Amino acid sequence: MGLLSEVLLLPLAPVRGAGWAIGQVLSEAERIYYDPATIRAELARLEEQLEAGEISEEEFDRQEDDLLDRLEIATRTSAGLGNGTAP
């Protein structure tokens, strides 16, 4: 039955392949989004923008809160995985 189902589902192979590729792209994007080093770099850039007068104090506070929330999630996730990533 395995061979028959493979033959019958062969026309759907491009769809399955596209689904796998989309899943890989999403996984990588999420890994980068929650990477503590990336978040810390964004925090530093945000502070530079505030000091240069490019953004207001309110905008800085809002974005900083978002970044700190991401960093907290990243730290909890890496600690839960036990992958040895230091926060």
Side-chain angles (χ1 to χ4, degrees), residues 21-82:
I22 290 170
Q24 294 298 310
V25 169
L26 288 175
S27 294
E28 182 64 13
E30 188 173 75
R31 186 192 66 75
I32 292 169
Y33 184 76
Y34 288 109
D35 179 28
T38 302
I39 297 169
R40 288 187 185 102
E42 289 182 34
L43 281 166
R45 183 185 53 79
L46 187 63
E47 189 171 346
E48 290 172 1
Q49 287 178 327
L50 177 66
E51 291 172 358
E54 297 173 5
I55 60 173
S56 67
E57 186 75 34
E58 293 80 22
E59 181 66 16
F60 173 82
D61 289 340
R62 187 188 64 74
Q63 289 186 29
E64 181 187 41
D65 287 344
D66 291 344
L67 289 169
L68 291 175
D69 288 344
R70 273 176 47 197
L71 185 59
E72 181 181 347
I73 291 169
T75 303
R76 272 188 289 157
T77 302
S78 66
L81 294 175

Side-chain angles (χ1 to χ4, degrees), residues 1-20:
M1 189 66 167
L3 179 60
L4 181 59
S5 64
E6 285 297 318
V7 169
L8 292 175
L9 295 176
L10 190 58
L12 297 177
V15 175
R16 291 191 316 231
W20 176 84

